[in-house]
Amino acid sequence: MDDNLDALERLMLANLLEGRQPRRRATTMPRAQRNSDSRQSAPQQRNQSRNQPRHAPAARASIPGPSAPPQVSDLRQTRLLDIGRVIKQIDPRTTPEWRSEMAAAWVRLNLTAAQVHGWLTAGLLPAQHELAKECIERGLTPADMKSRIDGVRVVERLRGDGVDGVVDILRRNGWKPAATPTAAA
């Protein structure tokens, strides 16, 4: 053999001389496209199609018509996820389990993610959902949390004086509660 050939060329030449054919790819489709095609169907669908006999047609799932009412549990789940994201944004140190638990408590108050964001940015902590509930019942809003009584923010006074004490001080200063309690200002 010639010394000018590199190792790969020598191997290919030796295989040809021995009568072996070079390995060829089974398909001419680019590898990236083959991989993306297999990812486009869900794993359950791929496994299901493999496990079914070849002669039986695959069963199709029925798709609900447009007249089907939206599920309440879907709305609750969406709220849980949205409020969980708000809590993570406010306090990124929380664990997913703790966020889920706190989000469930806020959902029980029937608050949206925007309303929860309002209360949290006003100064309440994610775990203080009961305090928010008391504030809502007495007519306080997130905007009221930012006002000051004798130089101290209302949200800070709530932790020491309680909701009733703060409402009494606010009323003495001329504050009037909202006509209908709302969750957000």
Side-chain angles (χ1 to χ4, degrees), residues 81-115:
L81 292 173
D82 291 344
I83 292 173
R85 287 183 192 112
V86 167
I87 292 171
K88 183 176 182 179
Q89 177 186 3
I90 299 293
D91 188 3
R93 299 169 297 165
T94 57
T95 64
E97 295 83 16
W98 183 234
R99 266 193 310 274
S100 176
E101 191 176 316
M102 288 186 288
W106 285 98
V107 167
R108 283 191 295 274
L109 295 178
N110 200 23
L111 298 177
T112 65
Q115 292 168 330

mmCIF file of all heavy atoms in Angstrom, residues 81-115:
data_model
loop_
_atom_site.group_PDB
_atom_site.id
_atom_site.type_symbol
_atom_site.label_atom_id
_atom_site.label_comp_id
_atom_site.label_asym_id
_atom_site.label_seq_id
_atom_site.Cartn_x
_atom_site.Cartn_y
_atom_site.Cartn_z
ATOM 1 N N LEU A 81 -51.287 27.905 39.713
ATOM 2 C CA LEU A 81 -50.016 28.091 39.006
ATOM 3 C C LEU A 81 -49.643 29.565 38.919
ATOM 4 O O LEU A 81 -48.488 29.939 39.149
ATOM 5 C CB LEU A 81 -50.099 27.478 37.612
ATOM 6 C CG LEU A 81 -50.200 25.957 37.565
ATOM 7 C CD1 LEU A 81 -50.452 25.487 36.139
ATOM 8 C CD2 LEU A 81 -48.953 25.318 38.121
ATOM 9 N N ASP A 82 -50.623 30.407 38.586
ATOM 10 C CA ASP A 82 -50.347 31.841 38.449
ATOM 11 C C ASP A 82 -49.924 32.454 39.776
ATOM 12 O O ASP A 82 -48.966 33.229 39.841
ATOM 13 C CB ASP A 82 -51.569 32.570 37.894
ATOM 14 C CG ASP A 82 -51.856 32.224 36.451
ATOM 15 O OD1 ASP A 82 -50.951 31.670 35.784
ATOM 16 O OD2 ASP A 82 -52.975 32.494 35.983
ATOM 17 N N ILE A 83 -50.638 32.117 40.838
ATOM 18 C CA ILE A 83 -50.293 32.665 42.156
ATOM 19 C C ILE A 83 -48.953 32.106 42.620
ATOM 20 O O ILE A 83 -48.149 32.814 43.223
ATOM 21 C CB ILE A 83 -51.424 32.398 43.167
ATOM 22 C CG1 ILE A 83 -52.660 33.221 42.768
ATOM 23 C CG2 ILE A 83 -50.983 32.721 44.586
ATOM 24 C CD1 ILE A 83 -53.902 32.930 43.564
ATOM 25 N N GLY A 84 -48.677 30.846 42.300
ATOM 26 C CA GLY A 84 -47.366 30.275 42.623
ATOM 27 C C GLY A 84 -46.246 31.041 41.939
ATOM 28 O O GLY A 84 -45.190 31.280 42.523
ATOM 29 N N ARG A 85 -46.477 31.445 40.691
ATOM 30 C CA ARG A 85 -45.465 32.242 39.969
ATOM 31 C C ARG A 85 -45.277 33.607 40.627
ATOM 32 O O ARG A 85 -44.157 34.117 40.719
ATOM 33 C CB ARG A 85 -45.880 32.414 38.515
ATOM 34 C CG ARG A 85 -45.726 31.164 37.705
ATOM 35 C CD ARG A 85 -46.072 31.407 36.240
ATOM 36 N NE ARG A 85 -46.193 30.154 35.548
ATOM 37 C CZ ARG A 85 -47.327 29.659 35.062
ATOM 38 N NH1 ARG A 85 -48.438 30.344 35.155
ATOM 39 N NH2 ARG A 85 -47.359 28.495 34.461
ATOM 40 N N VAL A 86 -46.385 34.211 41.067
ATOM 41 C CA VAL A 86 -46.291 35.510 41.743
ATOM 42 C C VAL A 86 -45.480 35.367 43.029
ATOM 43 O O VAL A 86 -44.604 36.179 43.310
ATOM 44 C CB VAL A 86 -47.705 36.069 42.038
ATOM 45 C CG1 VAL A 86 -47.646 37.239 42.994
ATOM 46 C CG2 VAL A 86 -48.390 36.475 40.746
ATOM 47 N N ILE A 87 -45.760 34.309 43.784
ATOM 48 C CA ILE A 87 -45.028 34.089 45.040
ATOM 49 C C ILE A 87 -43.548 33.867 44.754
ATOM 50 O O ILE A 87 -42.686 34.399 45.453
ATOM 51 C CB ILE A 87 -45.643 32.912 45.818
ATOM 52 C CG1 ILE A 87 -47.040 33.293 46.319
ATOM 53 C CG2 ILE A 87 -44.744 32.495 46.978
ATOM 54 C CD1 ILE A 87 -47.830 32.151 46.909
ATOM 55 N N LYS A 88 -43.246 33.110 43.713
ATOM 56 C CA LYS A 88 -41.840 32.881 43.361
ATOM 57 C C LYS A 88 -41.172 34.184 42.956
ATOM 58 O O LYS A 88 -40.008 34.422 43.269
ATOM 59 C CB LYS A 88 -41.737 31.867 42.227
ATOM 60 C CG LYS A 88 -40.305 31.527 41.875
ATOM 61 C CD LYS A 88 -40.220 30.472 40.825
ATOM 62 C CE LYS A 88 -38.768 30.124 40.538
ATOM 63 N NZ LYS A 88 -38.651 29.081 39.536
ATOM 64 N N GLN A 89 -41.905 35.048 42.261
ATOM 65 C CA GLN A 89 -41.350 36.339 41.852
ATOM 66 C C GLN A 89 -41.042 37.204 43.070
ATOM 67 O O GLN A 89 -40.004 37.851 43.131
ATOM 68 C CB GLN A 89 -42.350 37.046 40.934
ATOM 69 C CG GLN A 89 -41.922 38.412 40.496
ATOM 70 C CD GLN A 89 -43.023 39.128 39.708
ATOM 71 O OE1 GLN A 89 -44.120 38.615 39.547
ATOM 72 N NE2 GLN A 89 -42.719 40.313 39.246
ATOM 73 N N ILE A 90 -41.938 37.196 44.053
ATOM 74 C CA ILE A 90 -41.759 38.016 45.250
ATOM 75 C C ILE A 90 -40.689 37.427 46.172
ATOM 76 O O ILE A 90 -39.849 38.134 46.701
ATOM 77 C CB ILE A 90 -43.098 38.156 46.017
ATOM 78 C CG1 ILE A 90 -44.157 38.850 45.146
ATOM 79 C CG2 ILE A 90 -42.913 38.877 47.337
ATOM 80 C CD1 ILE A 90 -43.872 40.295 44.819
ATOM 81 N N ASP A 91 -40.739 36.100 46.366
ATOM 82 C CA ASP A 91 -39.780 35.434 47.244
ATOM 83 C C ASP A 91 -39.209 34.200 46.540
ATOM 84 O O ASP A 91 -39.743 33.105 46.666
ATOM 85 C CB ASP A 91 -40.452 35.027 48.562
ATOM 86 C CG ASP A 91 -39.463 34.515 49.592
ATOM 87 O OD1 ASP A 91 -38.237 34.516 49.308
ATOM 88 O OD2 ASP A 91 -39.900 34.112 50.681
ATOM 89 N N PRO A 92 -38.125 34.363 45.775
ATOM 90 C CA PRO A 92 -37.583 33.246 44.997
ATOM 91 C C PRO A 92 -36.968 32.132 45.835
ATOM 92 O O PRO A 92 -36.675 31.072 45.322
ATOM 93 C CB PRO A 92 -36.522 33.907 44.111
ATOM 94 C CG PRO A 92 -36.260 35.233 44.701
ATOM 95 C CD PRO A 92 -37.422 35.596 45.542
ATOM 96 N N ARG A 93 -36.803 32.342 47.136
ATOM 97 C CA ARG A 93 -36.191 31.317 47.983
ATOM 98 C C ARG A 93 -37.164 30.212 48.377
ATOM 99 O O ARG A 93 -36.755 29.206 48.931
ATOM 100 C CB ARG A 93 -35.631 31.952 49.252
ATOM 101 C CG ARG A 93 -34.547 32.982 48.978
ATOM 102 C CD ARG A 93 -34.236 33.753 50.221
ATOM 103 N NE ARG A 93 -35.449 34.481 50.621
ATOM 104 C CZ ARG A 93 -35.631 35.035 51.801
ATOM 105 N NH1 ARG A 93 -34.705 34.962 52.702
ATOM 106 N NH2 ARG A 93 -36.740 35.670 52.075
ATOM 107 N N THR A 94 -38.448 30.388 48.122
ATOM 108 C CA THR A 94 -39.431 29.391 48.532
ATOM 109 C C THR A 94 -39.293 28.121 47.710
ATOM 110 O O THR A 94 -38.930 28.151 46.541
ATOM 111 C CB THR A 94 -40.863 29.935 48.371
ATOM 112 O OG1 THR A 94 -41.050 30.333 47.012
ATOM 113 C CG2 THR A 94 -41.127 31.104 49.284
ATOM 114 N N THR A 95 -39.617 27.004 48.344
ATOM 115 C CA THR A 95 -39.578 25.723 47.644
ATOM 116 C C THR A 95 -40.878 25.537 46.870
ATOM 117 O O THR A 95 -41.896 26.148 47.208
ATOM 118 C CB THR A 95 -39.422 24.564 48.643
ATOM 119 O OG1 THR A 95 -40.584 24.520 49.485
ATOM 120 C CG2 THR A 95 -38.170 24.718 49.481
ATOM 121 N N PRO A 96 -40.888 24.702 45.852
ATOM 122 C CA PRO A 96 -42.123 24.473 45.097
ATOM 123 C C PRO A 96 -43.272 23.968 45.975
ATOM 124 O O PRO A 96 -44.421 24.360 45.780
ATOM 125 C CB PRO A 96 -41.726 23.429 44.059
ATOM 126 C CG PRO A 96 -40.253 23.589 43.893
ATOM 127 C CD PRO A 96 -39.744 24.024 45.232
ATOM 128 N N GLU A 97 -42.977 23.118 46.953
ATOM 129 C CA GLU A 97 -44.026 22.603 47.835
ATOM 130 C C GLU A 97 -44.630 23.715 48.679
ATOM 131 O O GLU A 97 -45.848 23.808 48.829
ATOM 132 C CB GLU A 97 -43.463 21.503 48.755
ATOM 133 C CG GLU A 97 -43.010 20.263 48.023
ATOM 134 C CD GLU A 97 -41.597 20.395 47.455
ATOM 135 O OE1 GLU A 97 -40.840 21.312 47.866
ATOM 136 O OE2 GLU A 97 -41.269 19.601 46.560
ATOM 137 N N TRP A 98 -43.777 24.554 49.241
ATOM 138 C CA TRP A 98 -44.239 25.657 50.080
ATOM 139 C C TRP A 98 -45.018 26.672 49.234
ATOM 140 O O TRP A 98 -46.042 27.183 49.665
ATOM 141 C CB TRP A 98 -43.047 26.291 50.778
ATOM 142 C CG TRP A 98 -43.371 27.399 51.736
ATOM 143 C CD1 TRP A 98 -42.844 28.650 51.722
ATOM 144 C CD2 TRP A 98 -44.267 27.367 52.845
ATOM 145 N NE1 TRP A 98 -43.360 29.398 52.743
ATOM 146 C CE2 TRP A 98 -44.247 28.632 53.451
ATOM 147 C CE3 TRP A 98 -45.108 26.399 53.370
ATOM 148 C CZ2 TRP A 98 -45.028 28.953 54.568
ATOM 149 C CZ3 TRP A 98 -45.877 26.726 54.477
ATOM 150 C CH2 TRP A 98 -45.824 27.981 55.067
ATOM 151 N N ARG A 99 -44.534 26.956 48.033
ATOM 152 C CA ARG A 99 -45.254 27.864 47.128
ATOM 153 C C ARG A 99 -46.634 27.327 46.812
ATOM 154 O O ARG A 99 -47.616 28.068 46.808
ATOM 155 C CB ARG A 99 -44.482 28.039 45.817
ATOM 156 C CG ARG A 99 -43.578 29.219 45.776
ATOM 157 C CD ARG A 99 -43.103 29.523 44.383
ATOM 158 N NE ARG A 99 -42.550 28.420 43.637
ATOM 159 C CZ ARG A 99 -41.293 28.012 43.685
ATOM 160 N NH1 ARG A 99 -40.433 28.639 44.441
ATOM 161 N NH2 ARG A 99 -40.882 27.003 42.958
ATOM 162 N N SER A 100 -46.707 26.042 46.542
ATOM 163 C CA SER A 100 -47.997 25.421 46.215
ATOM 164 C C SER A 100 -48.961 25.523 47.386
ATOM 165 O O SER A 100 -50.149 25.821 47.210
ATOM 166 C CB SER A 100 -47.769 23.961 45.832
ATOM 167 O OG SER A 100 -48.986 23.329 45.604
ATOM 168 N N GLU A 101 -48.468 25.292 48.579
ATOM 169 C CA GLU A 101 -49.308 25.377 49.773
ATOM 170 C C GLU A 101 -49.806 26.803 49.992
ATOM 171 O O GLU A 101 -50.987 27.026 50.286
ATOM 172 C CB GLU A 101 -48.497 24.900 50.974
ATOM 173 C CG GLU A 101 -49.310 24.692 52.229
ATOM 174 C CD GLU A 101 -48.460 24.118 53.342
ATOM 175 O OE1 GLU A 101 -47.671 23.189 53.081
ATOM 176 O OE2 GLU A 101 -48.583 24.607 54.480
ATOM 177 N N MET A 102 -48.910 27.781 49.857
ATOM 178 C CA MET A 102 -49.308 29.184 50.038
ATOM 179 C C MET A 102 -50.270 29.610 48.934
ATOM 180 O O MET A 102 -51.253 30.314 49.197
ATOM 181 C CB MET A 102 -48.076 30.093 50.054
ATOM 182 C CG MET A 102 -47.250 29.959 51.309
ATOM 183 S SD MET A 102 -45.891 31.150 51.399
ATOM 184 C CE MET A 102 -44.790 30.520 50.171
ATOM 185 N N ALA A 103 -50.016 29.192 47.698
ATOM 186 C CA ALA A 103 -50.898 29.545 46.586
ATOM 187 C C ALA A 103 -52.293 28.979 46.811
ATOM 188 O O ALA A 103 -53.298 29.656 46.541
ATOM 189 C CB ALA A 103 -50.318 29.046 45.263
ATOM 190 N N ALA A 104 -52.382 27.759 47.335
ATOM 191 C CA ALA A 104 -53.690 27.149 47.608
ATOM 192 C C ALA A 104 -54.455 27.973 48.645
ATOM 193 O O ALA A 104 -55.674 28.148 48.532
ATOM 194 C CB ALA A 104 -53.508 25.713 48.076
ATOM 195 N N ALA A 105 -53.748 28.493 49.645
ATOM 196 C CA ALA A 105 -54.402 29.320 50.663
ATOM 197 C C ALA A 105 -54.928 30.620 50.049
ATOM 198 O O ALA A 105 -56.036 31.061 50.368
ATOM 199 C CB ALA A 105 -53.425 29.621 51.797
ATOM 200 N N TRP A 106 -54.169 31.232 49.157
ATOM 201 C CA TRP A 106 -54.619 32.454 48.489
ATOM 202 C C TRP A 106 -55.797 32.161 47.561
ATOM 203 O O TRP A 106 -56.718 32.967 47.433
ATOM 204 C CB TRP A 106 -53.477 33.105 47.711
ATOM 205 C CG TRP A 106 -52.470 33.804 48.578
ATOM 206 C CD1 TRP A 106 -51.274 33.303 48.996
ATOM 207 C CD2 TRP A 106 -52.552 35.114 49.137
ATOM 208 N NE1 TRP A 106 -50.614 34.218 49.769
ATOM 209 C CE2 TRP A 106 -51.370 35.345 49.868
ATOM 210 C CE3 TRP A 106 -53.513 36.117 49.080
ATOM 211 C CZ2 TRP A 106 -51.137 36.535 50.547
ATOM 212 C CZ3 TRP A 106 -53.272 37.308 49.757
ATOM 213 C CH2 TRP A 106 -52.101 37.507 50.481
ATOM 214 N N VAL A 107 -55.786 31.004 46.902
ATOM 215 C CA VAL A 107 -56.896 30.629 46.011
ATOM 216 C C VAL A 107 -58.176 30.447 46.819
ATOM 217 O O VAL A 107 -59.263 30.818 46.362
ATOM 218 C CB VAL A 107 -56.552 29.354 45.208
ATOM 219 C CG1 VAL A 107 -57.774 28.775 44.524
ATOM 220 C CG2 VAL A 107 -55.482 29.665 44.179
ATOM 221 N N ARG A 108 -58.059 29.906 48.041
ATOM 222 C CA ARG A 108 -59.249 29.736 48.897
ATOM 223 C C ARG A 108 -59.885 31.082 49.236
ATOM 224 O O ARG A 108 -61.072 31.150 49.544
ATOM 225 C CB ARG A 108 -58.891 28.975 50.162
ATOM 226 C CG ARG A 108 -58.736 27.484 49.933
ATOM 227 C CD ARG A 108 -58.657 26.719 51.243
ATOM 228 N NE ARG A 108 -57.470 27.028 52.040
ATOM 229 C CZ ARG A 108 -56.293 26.437 51.897
ATOM 230 N NH1 ARG A 108 -56.131 25.494 50.986
ATOM 231 N NH2 ARG A 108 -55.275 26.770 52.662
ATOM 232 N N LEU A 109 -59.110 32.156 49.180
ATOM 233 C CA LEU A 109 -59.661 33.497 49.400
ATOM 234 C C LEU A 109 -60.356 34.035 48.149
ATOM 235 O O LEU A 109 -60.875 35.147 48.159
ATOM 236 C CB LEU A 109 -58.556 34.473 49.815
ATOM 237 C CG LEU A 109 -57.870 34.206 51.145
ATOM 238 C CD1 LEU A 109 -56.766 35.223 51.382
ATOM 239 C CD2 LEU A 109 -58.874 34.234 52.273
ATOM 240 N N ASN A 110 -60.305 33.255 47.069
ATOM 241 C CA ASN A 110 -60.913 33.618 45.786
ATOM 242 C C ASN A 110 -60.267 34.874 45.196
ATOM 243 O O ASN A 110 -60.946 35.768 44.688
ATOM 244 C CB ASN A 110 -62.427 33.795 45.925
ATOM 245 C CG ASN A 110 -63.121 33.675 44.589
ATOM 246 O OD1 ASN A 110 -62.596 33.061 43.664
ATOM 247 N ND2 ASN A 110 -64.294 34.266 44.482
ATOM 248 N N LEU A 111 -58.947 34.930 45.283
ATOM 249 C CA LEU A 111 -58.193 36.051 44.729
ATOM 250 C C LEU A 111 -57.505 35.619 43.445
ATOM 251 O O LEU A 111 -57.112 34.470 43.289
ATOM 252 C CB LEU A 111 -57.135 36.538 45.722
ATOM 253 C CG LEU A 111 -57.644 37.067 47.055
ATOM 254 C CD1 LEU A 111 -56.478 37.443 47.940
ATOM 255 C CD2 LEU A 111 -58.558 38.257 46.859
ATOM 256 N N THR A 112 -57.358 36.574 42.536
ATOM 257 C CA THR A 112 -56.621 36.311 41.305
ATOM 258 C C THR A 112 -55.138 36.555 41.559
ATOM 259 O O THR A 112 -54.754 37.122 42.592
ATOM 260 C CB THR A 112 -57.097 37.228 40.169
ATOM 261 O OG1 THR A 112 -56.773 38.593 40.521
ATOM 262 C CG2 THR A 112 -58.588 37.085 39.910
ATOM 263 N N ALA A 113 -54.315 36.178 40.602
ATOM 264 C CA ALA A 113 -52.873 36.383 40.731
ATOM 265 C C ALA A 113 -52.544 37.875 40.809
ATOM 266 O O ALA A 113 -51.662 38.284 41.566
ATOM 267 C CB ALA A 113 -52.141 35.739 39.565
ATOM 268 N N ALA A 114 -53.278 38.706 40.065
ATOM 269 C CA ALA A 114 -53.027 40.153 40.094
ATOM 270 C C ALA A 114 -53.365 40.725 41.473
ATOM 271 O O ALA A 114 -52.644 41.594 41.986
ATOM 272 C CB ALA A 114 -53.850 40.845 39.017
ATOM 273 N N GLN A 115 -54.433 40.243 42.072
ATOM 274 C CA GLN A 115 -54.804 40.723 43.400
ATOM 275 C C GLN A 115 -53.782 40.281 44.441
ATOM 276 O O GLN A 115 -53.389 41.071 45.308
ATOM 277 C CB GLN A 115 -56.202 40.218 43.769
ATOM 278 C CG GLN A 115 -57.288 40.843 42.921
ATOM 279 C CD GLN A 115 -58.621 40.137 43.078
ATOM 280 O OE1 GLN A 115 -58.671 38.935 43.340
ATOM 281 N NE2 GLN A 115 -59.705 40.889 42.911
#
